[in-house]
Amino acid sequence: MSETWIHILIIVCVLLGMVTIAAGLIYVERRMLAVWQERYGPNRVGPFGIFQVMADMVKIFFKEDWIPGFVDRKVFIVAPTIIMITTLLSFAIVPFAPGIVVANLNVGILFFLAMSSLGAYTIVLAGWASNNKYSLIGGLRGAAQMISYEVFMGLSLMGVVILAGSFNMTDIVMAQKGMWNVVPQFIGFVIFFIAGLAETHRLPFDIPEAESELIAGFHSEYSGMKFGMFFVGEYLGITLVSAMTTVLFFGGWLGPSFLPPIVWFLIKMFAFILVFVLLRASLPRPRYDQLMSWGWKILLPLALLNLLVTGAIVLYNQ
Amino acid sequence: MQIIFYIAALVAIVSTAMVITRKNAVHALLYLIVSLLAVSVIFFIMGAPFVAALEVIVYAGAIMILIIFAIMMLNLGQASEKREKEWLKPRTWIGPGILAAILLAELIYTLNSFSPSAHEQAIIDAKDVGMSLFSTYALGVELAAMMLMAGIVGAYHIGHEKQKEYHRYLQKEEKL
């Protein structure tokens, strides 16, 4: 019985922890962007502006939740929930520390890929249901971008799977005891990170919502907490990709023993989150056709080559 | 486990029926996605987690999104909903319905007459799937690969020629 309770406790902690981190990232991102661009950023609410998130949340909850008359009502309401559900479900397979994992699935990586491919529906459906030409273009761009980058994401992870000999996330972490996967799988790491950027449609790749050409793209018509779901969903996506990068390429919770495993995990994860923010602060947005041709002409052959070479080396060593 | 199977099967059947009766194409496709997810749950509890994951990744994730992508661009409106309504009249579906009912009756009869051995289950993981794909079913894999190659070559042929399109001002200059 007590084991069941511990399991439920883990589930609740992961759920609340991830949502809190995602909401807190709104402050972290604004503050760090300001630091890197030599501005002040939010610094009025509480010490260092830490309570800015709460103020924002109170504001967004009390805003009128306006559904325009011309939208497809049901799909319009369902769309923002999909990204929250799929991203939160993906956290189920992330091993935070030995034993702290919601579901130790034997097809862990595939579950992550499945959830991230379902996450694409949120953009497509939001863009379509808004019944607005800018939103539709945003939705089309988002669909094309996410389908293409899913391919490389899956292929880049297969090198890790070959090295560990398992789809199970805990096994993959344990297989990195001697050497972190980032060394033998450096190309895989780079491709996974780029694909993760495109999958979360973060700034260098945020062309589905490019504000200078599409107003706000697929979520132009959303307001109140429905917009908030897209917003928090994006930060959840960043947290998820950072956590997955940590687990798959940087040894997860492994580290020198003077700190507990969960602390090592969080340090690595937050380092990647900061890289995400730094990329937003420094890189310009590519054109849409550049993004697509870059993906299919460079990343896909590289990912296939990486897979081939890794497989050959593993077979040769056996 | 049995009750989970029956719930998932019920969801699959109801959502598939909804796919047929919806008049709006996107709504129908959303029900089809739900149906695919239910089938994936059935695969999972039958002891095939790898196939279940692939069902979601390939069918629900990739193929359905491409179909929605195409339908979004068609901009179907009132006219197509009206046409769908026409097609839902009994005159249209009664013939195929009878044929399908005969097949269903046959299926139930055969399932009843051969006592199925449902209890000897084993979990088939990714390794087993890979082994049988590249030994027993190698021919099928090769054929599928050839078909995909043909598709790629065809897509390349359609896509590689860039049509030269000039802006209308430039076209005028050319005439001069």
Side-chain angles (χ1 to χ4, degrees):
Chain A
M1 193 65 199
S2 69
E3 218 165 72
T4 321
W5 283 111
I6 289 174
H7 205 88
I8 291 173
L9 191 73
I10 289 175
I11 293 173
V12 172
C13 284
V14 169
L15 188 65
L16 291 182
M18 286 308 135
V19 175
T20 316
I21 288 178
L25 281 187
I26 299 171
Y27 166 77
V28 173
E29 169 153 58
R30 289 179 62 186
R31 193 75 193 179
M32 293 316 288
L33 280 180
V35 167
W36 278 315
Q37 296 174 344
E38 304 207 30
R39 296 184 279 115
Y40 283 119
N43 64 352
R44 287 283 173 261
V45 195
F48 304 107
I50 275 178
F51 299 129
Q52 182 70 41
V53 175
M54 276 178 237
D56 282 348
M57 279 290 154
V58 169
K59 184 192 82 174
I60 211 164
F61 269 111
F62 281 98
K63 266 195 171 179
E64 188 191 358
D65 197 356
W66 161 247
I67 299 177
F70 48 82
V71 301
D72 189 309
R73 229 184 133 80
K74 287 177 202 158
V75 183
F76 188 79
I77 294 170
V78 167
T81 60
I82 295 174
I83 189 156
M84 289 289 275
I85 293 172
T86 54
T87 322
L88 282 174
L89 274 177
S90 307
F91 279 110
I93 49 109
V94 176
F96 293 92
I100 305 186
V101 54
V102 175
N104 201 5
L105 274 181
N106 53 357
V107 286
I109 285 192
L110 294 177
F111 184 80
F112 162 73
L113 291 174
M115 285 302 128
S116 83
S117 65
L118 286 184
Y121 281 112
T122 196
I123 293 187
V124 178
L125 294 179
W128 178 79
S130 293
N131 205 359
N132 163 339
K133 53 180 177 281
Y134 296 111
S135 300
L136 186 67
I137 294 174
L140 287 176
R141 285 181 176 187
Q145 172 180 337
M146 290 181 87
I147 293 176
S148 338
Y149 277 76
E150 257 163 40
V151 178
F152 327 131
M153 189 184 242
L155 282 175
S156 65
L157 292 184
M158 287 312 127
V160 174
V161 174
I162 291 176
L163 286 181
S166 166
F167 286 109
N168 185 316
M169 301 289 280
T170 313
D171 290 352
I172 289 172
V173 174
M174 295 320 279
Q176 299 178 53
K177 268 202 165 148
M179 186 178 16
W180 290 354
N181 271 339
V182 66
V183 182
Q185 282 297 311
F186 187 73
I187 299 174
F189 160 66
V190 172
I191 295 170
F192 176 75
F193 200 73
I194 294 172
L197 269 178
E199 202 71 355
T200 49
H201 40 94
R202 285 284 304 174
L203 195 80
F205 296 144
D206 72 336
I207 39 185
E209 51 189 288
E211 72 279 350
S212 50
E213 30 193 300
L214 296 180
I215 311 176
F218 63 93
H219 58 59
S220 299
E221 302 290 348
Y222 284 84
S223 59
M225 204 46 215
K226 289 201 189 65
F227 168 72
M229 297 262 251
F230 284 120
F231 202 55
V232 176
E234 190 182 314
Y235 287 103
L236 271 176
I238 297 172
T239 320
L240 177 67
V241 173
S242 305
M244 289 300 288
T245 318
T246 308
V247 171
L248 295 170
F249 294 100
F250 285 83
W253 68 75
L254 300 174
S257 62
F258 58 86
L259 283 176
I262 182 86
V263 176
W264 278 116
F265 183 88
L266 289 176
I267 288 174
K268 292 174 191 171
M269 191 177 87
F270 276 105
F272 282 110
I273 290 174
L274 287 182
V275 172
F276 265 97
V277 179
L278 181 60
L279 285 177
R280 174 171 178 178
S282 52
L283 288 182
R285 183 186 296 137
R287 232 172 38 221
Y288 181 63
D289 59 318
Q290 288 172 336
L291 175 90
M292 293 310 265
S293 61
W294 206 65
W296 287 109
K297 287 179 186 164
I298 299 178
L299 289 184
L300 179 67
L302 259 185
L304 283 173
L305 207 65
N306 178 41
L307 182 62
L308 197 71
V309 171
T310 313
I313 290 175
V314 167
L315 274 184
Y316 181 77
N317 283 345
Q318 264 178 0
Chain B
M1 273 302 165
Q2 279 223 318
I3 193 137
I4 297 177
F5 170 79
Y6 283 117
I7 293 170
L10 194 70
V11 170
I13 291 170
V14 169
S15 55
T16 311
M18 296 295 262
V19 175
I20 300 165
T21 52
R22 291 306 91 182
K23 280 156 201 115
N24 187 322
V26 173
H27 293 180
L29 281 171
L30 287 181
Y31 276 111
L32 187 51
I33 293 159
V34 175
S35 165
L36 289 170
L37 291 180
V39 173
S40 154
V41 170
I42 292 176
F43 276 131
F44 191 81
I45 60 176
M46 296 285 233
F50 185 71
V51 180
L54 283 193
E55 170 100 7
V56 179
I57 295 175
V58 175
Y59 285 93
I63 294 179
M64 294 311 294
I65 231 167
L66 283 176
I67 296 177
I68 285 194
F69 191 89
I71 283 180
M72 270 165 68
M73 299 218 253
L74 292 180
N75 196 14
L76 301 170
Q78 298 281 325
S80 76
E81 285 192 20
K82 219 177 218 172
R83 200 177 57 225
E84 285 284 329
K85 216 179 235 170
E86 281 294 302
W87 286 343
L88 280 178
K89 279 180 182 164
R91 195 159 50 85
T92 321
W93 56 258
I94 205 127
I98 289 172
L99 293 176
I102 294 170
L103 280 180
L104 181 70
E106 274 188 351
L107 184 70
I108 291 172
Y109 175 73
T110 39
L111 281 184
N112 273 341
S113 52
F114 297 105
S115 60
S117 54
H119 291 288
E120 41 181 271
Q121 282 188 1
I123 289 181
I124 310 289
D125 62 3
K127 197 176 174 185
D128 300 329
V129 175
M131 293 287 231
S132 58
L133 270 185
F134 286 97
S135 58
T136 323
Y137 302 105
L139 184 67
V141 173
E142 299 280 318
L143 286 176
M146 265 188 231
M147 198 184 76
L148 284 177
M149 195 65 213
I152 290 172
V153 171
Y156 178 76
H157 179 73
I158 293 170
H160 88 290
E161 249 177 81
K162 255 193 187 161
Q163 282 186 330
K164 278 186 183 166
E165 273 184 34
Y166 291 108
H167 193 270
R168 55 183 185 278
Y169 296 124
L170 293 175
Q171 281 175 341
K172 264 182 196 169
E173 270 178 33
E174 269 190 357
K175 275 176 199 168
L176 289 171

